[in-house]
């Protein structure tokens, strides 16, 4: 699926390099690891860091990151919207502590580059339309995502400060809504819209959506996001942060229609319109195309079909 040119570029730049990946059991991390292994991009063993083998303390990370060339930092504090609502302060503390310790341990070990991932929760809900990186610090993040949204903003601040004082090289990727094979399916009915909708269509004949059809969003397949992360890890581009989208914006109504068509769903679908949302929130693929010379490969139709087939097997439905 990925071009030979990009694969050869990655293979050349990862040769004899050691990579550490935090949050290695997570959704994005597993797809990055799969690409590295499937395309033989490394001739060194990947250092996998997760909650089972580290407490993410500075002391522990300083030991683990010795002789590491690149760190891909994907660990945060997640648990779905329920966790975010119930434990906002804990989420803020855990995520921020991890980020600060990763930056400091990477700097101390003279890591060549640190890559970390943010998301569109960094933006104010007042921004409608194209979410440019220059608008990130406009107003507050949405109240429901205030803690984690502010932490992800802090990644950008850390990147600038560590560059200024230590000349430490880091890049922050701000991604659109991610979906695809391998997503965690805990509390699936209350999870992200694509997996939760697929699951409901697999299990029920009558489906109600709390909101309406009008809101416009952007979704990027996890395989594209994983590949972009690897390209950013070795790219010579000077940008310290960039937005990562698919370039495909779509209304929630059209998204549901696509899923219905692919799944050949014959049941009843109702939009309750209890949330009035006519906003458009998308970041596009321009940053990635310009800075990494990469155009996302997975169109939504292809990604949805693949995700649906995977979920049928995974949930035994």
């Amino acid at each position: 699926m990925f071009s030979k040119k990009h694969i050869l570029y990655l293979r050349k730049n990862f040769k004899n390099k050691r990579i550490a990946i935090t949050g290695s059991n997570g959704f994005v991390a597993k797809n990055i690891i799969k690409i590295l292994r499937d395309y033989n991009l490394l001739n060194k063993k990947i250092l996998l860091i997760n909650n089972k083998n580290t407490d993410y303390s500075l002391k522990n990370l300083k030991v683990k990151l010795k002789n590491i060339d690149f760190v891909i930092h994907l660990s945060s504090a997640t648990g779905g919207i329920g966790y975010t609502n119930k434990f906002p302060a804990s989420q803020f503390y855990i995520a921020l502590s991890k980020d600060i310790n990763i930056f400091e341990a990477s700097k101390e070990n003279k890591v060549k580059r640190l890559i970390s991932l943010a998301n569109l929760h960094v933006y104010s809900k007042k921004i409608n339309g194209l979410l440019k990186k220059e608008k990130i610090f406009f107003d507050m993040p949405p109240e429901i995502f205030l803690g984690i949204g502010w932490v992800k903003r802090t990644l950008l601040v850390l990147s600038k400060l560590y560059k200024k004082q230590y000349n430490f090289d880091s890049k922050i990727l701000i991604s659109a809504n991610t979906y695809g094979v391998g997503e965690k399916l805990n509390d699936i009915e209350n999870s992200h819209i694509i997996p939760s909708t697929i699951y409901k269509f697999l299990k029920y004949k009558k489906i109600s959506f709390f909101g309406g059809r009008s809101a416009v969003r952007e979704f990027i397949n996890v395989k594209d996001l994983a590949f972009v992360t690897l390209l950013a890890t070795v790219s010579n581009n000077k940008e310290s942060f960039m937005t990562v989208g698919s370039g495909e914006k779509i209304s929630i109504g059209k998204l549901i229609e696509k899923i219905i068509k692919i799944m050949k769903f014959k049941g009843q679908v109702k939009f309750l319109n209890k949330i009035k949302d006519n906003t458009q929130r998308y970041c596009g693929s321009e940053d990635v195309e310009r800075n990494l010379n990469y155009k996302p490969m997975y169109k939504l139709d292809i990604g949805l079909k693949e995700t649906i087939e995977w979920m049928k097997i995974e949930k035994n439905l």
Side-chain angles (χ1 to χ4, degrees):
M1 188 73 180
F2 303 112
S3 74
K4 184 177 180 180
K5 176 184 72 174
H6 284 117
I7 294 299
L8 292 175
Y9 175 78
L10 290 175
R11 192 173 292 151
K12 175 184 175 182
N13 285 279
F14 281 132
K15 186 177 181 180
N16 297 324
K17 299 295 191 298
R18 293 203 67 209
I19 297 179
I21 301 177
T22 73
S24 61
N25 290 325
F27 178 36
V28 179
K30 286 183 176 179
N31 279 274
I32 289 175
I33 294 164
K34 188 174 189 306
I35 291 171
L36 286 168
R37 290 174 174 167
D38 286 355
Y39 290 94
N40 298 312
L41 299 182
L42 287 176
N43 56 356
K44 298 280 186 179
K45 187 176 180 180
I46 310 169
L47 175 62
L48 304 179
I49 300 176
N50 52 62
N51 288 326
K52 292 183 179 179
N53 60 32
T54 184
D55 59 4
Y56 286 97
S57 66
L58 180 57
K59 180 180 178 180
N60 194 309
L61 290 170
K62 279 184 177 181
V63 173
K64 284 192 172 290
L65 296 183
K66 283 183 178 178
N67 302 314
I68 291 295
D69 296 290
F70 300 116
V71 174
I72 299 176
H73 174 43
L74 303 172
S75 182
S76 189
T78 57
I81 191 66
Y83 175 81
T84 299
N85 268 326
K86 193 172 182 180
F87 305 108
S90 298
Q91 185 180 43
F92 183 91
Y93 175 80
I94 293 168
L96 185 60
S97 298
K98 287 181 177 182
D99 293 345
I100 291 173
N101 289 341
I102 282 289
F103 263 85
E104 184 66 16
S106 298
K107 180 265 295 181
E108 287 292 305
N109 280 292
K110 296 180 170 55
V111 167
K112 290 181 173 63
R113 179 173 291 165
L114 167 66
I115 300 290
S116 195
L117 194 62
N119 55 46
L120 300 188
H121 296 326
V122 300
Y123 290 96
S124 165
K125 68 178 181 180
K126 295 179 182 179
I127 300 176
N128 191 18
L130 180 63
L131 300 172
K132 296 181 179 180
K133 53 180 180 274
E134 293 81 10
K135 296 180 180 179
I136 287 172
F137 290 96
F138 170 79
D139 203 65
M140 303 287 280
E143 181 66 26
I144 192 170
F145 299 116
L146 176 60
I148 196 63
W150 200 271
V151 168
K152 295 303 182 183
R153 283 186 180 184
T154 305
L155 283 169
L156 307 178
V157 176
L158 284 168
S159 179
K160 285 182 176 292
L161 296 181
Y162 271 73
K163 179 68 174 178
K164 181 178 180 179
Q165 184 171 344
Y166 304 113
N167 198 31
F168 179 68
D169 188 4
S170 62
K171 290 186 183 296
I172 313 301
L173 306 179
I174 307 147
S175 83
N177 302 295
T178 310
Y179 76 99
V181 172
E183 185 162 1
K184 289 186 177 180
L185 301 179
N186 303 334
D187 193 21
I188 183 64
E189 292 197 37
N190 298 307
S191 68
H192 300 131
I193 185 168
I194 287 178
S196 66
T197 298
I198 293 170
Y199 178 75
K200 289 171 184 175
F201 284 174
L202 287 171
K203 193 169 182 181
Y204 306 116
K205 294 298 182 185
K206 293 183 178 181
I207 315 295
S208 294
F209 292 93
F210 197 72
R213 300 172 53 93
S214 300
V216 172
R217 298 294 183 262
E218 182 181 23
F219 301 87
I220 185 167
N221 191 281
V222 67
K223 294 180 182 179
D224 272 321
L225 179 58
F227 202 75
V228 166
T229 303
L230 291 173
L231 288 173
T233 303
V234 296
S235 169
N236 291 324
N237 187 273
K238 301 301 181 183
E239 288 286 342
S240 60
F241 59 96
M242 65 186 80
T243 53
V244 183
S246 64
E248 280 189 282
K249 56 183 180 179
I250 187 170
S251 70
I252 297 302
K254 292 291 185 183
L255 174 66
I256 301 303
E257 287 174 11
K258 276 185 180 290
I259 297 174
I260 288 172
K261 183 177 180 180
I262 294 168
M263 297 183 69
K264 299 179 180 178
F265 180 71
K266 302 298 184 184
Q268 179 181 325
V269 176
K270 186 176 182 180
F271 290 87
L272 301 178
N273 291 301
K274 292 188 176 181
I275 298 177
K276 304 298 181 183
D277 186 357
N278 296 314
T279 61
Q280 298 192 28
R281 291 172 67 82
Y282 56 93
C283 60
S285 61
E286 290 82 2
D287 254 11
V288 170
E289 293 182 37
R290 181 175 63 253
N291 296 315
L292 300 178
N293 192 29
Y294 178 78
K295 188 176 180 65
M297 304 289 291
Y298 277 81
K299 296 298 183 185
L300 192 55
D301 285 341
I302 295 171
L304 287 174
K305 288 176 184 177
E306 193 176 74
T307 305
I308 289 164
E309 291 307 310
W310 170 74
M311 282 187 62
K312 284 179 181 178
I313 296 169
E314 194 71 14
K315 301 303 289 185
N316 195 28
L317 291 169

